[in-house]
Amino acid sequence: MNIILSNASTDPIYIQILNQIRQSILNGELRPGDNLPSIRQLAKDLKVSVITTKRAYEELEKEKLIDSVVGKGCFVSGANQDFIREQRMKRLEEKMMEIVRESQALSMSQQELLDHLKLMLEEEPT
């Protein structure tokens, strides 16, 4: 897991950690059952306070994205698949809106856009 912290960001460090782990889970880079670094290990790796990493993990646990098992560590949860799907659908819709806006800027008709999408779907191996 590669977390990059920015001192230039307006977000607190725990939010940066939270967002990057959440994104890795939503992207499928981290899968249900995957073991996360311990709170102490992550703090050491990122050179931040244990309290900071603990707060990020607590927020992820509240969102039911991770589970903490006493004595074993933290794991990506498999329980919140509906939330993960919903978040991924939201990101997909945002990307689709970008495509719609770009097609409008190119003066494409709806049918041209749909035809182009259909062509791309046919070319993409499943």
Side-chain angles (χ1 to χ4, degrees), residues 3 8 15 28-30 40 43 77 84 96 109-110 112 114:
I3 296 176
I15 294 288
E29 295 167 25
L30 292 172
R40 281 188 173 82
S77 174
I84 291 172
M96 291 172 79
S109 70
Q110 282 184 352
E112 287 175 313
L114 291 172

Side-chain angles (χ1 to χ4, degrees), residues 16-123:
Q16 292 180 53
I17 296 168
L18 166 71
N19 287 339
Q20 290 180 54
I21 295 174
R22 181 191 297 126
Q23 203 61 30
S24 293
I25 293 170
L26 297 178
N27 287 340
E29 295 167 25
L30 292 172
R31 300 188 182 278
D34 283 354
N35 193 5
L36 297 175
S38 72
I39 291 169
R40 281 188 173 82
Q41 185 62 52
L42 185 60
K44 181 180 174 188
D45 292 347
L46 297 176
K47 296 176 177 59
V48 298
S49 165
V50 170
I51 295 169
T52 301
T53 55
K54 184 176 191 305
R55 188 167 179 193
Y57 276 26
E58 285 173 348
E59 291 296 320
L60 289 164
E61 197 165 10
K62 284 180 190 172
E63 292 179 13
K64 299 193 184 320
L65 291 174
I66 68 170
D67 296 315
S68 293
V69 180
V70 178
K72 298 203 181 216
C74 294
F75 301 87
V76 176
S77 174
N80 208 355
Q81 292 303 310
D82 289 338
F83 173 78
I84 291 172
R85 179 173 167 66
E86 185 64 32
Q87 292 299 308
R88 291 183 76 185
M89 287 294 292
K90 182 179 173 187
R91 279 201 337 263
L92 178 61
E93 288 169 1
E94 290 168 357
K95 290 177 183 179
M96 291 172 79
M97 279 308 301
E98 287 179 39
I99 291 168
V100 167
R101 286 187 198 102
E102 186 65 25
S103 71
Q104 290 170 340
L106 291 168
S107 300
M108 291 176 70
S109 70
Q110 282 184 352
Q111 191 58 51
E112 287 175 313
L113 177 59
L114 291 172
D115 289 344
H116 196 77
L117 178 60
K118 185 177 177 183
L119 179 66
M120 292 181 73
L121 286 169
E122 290 170 356
E123 291 178 358

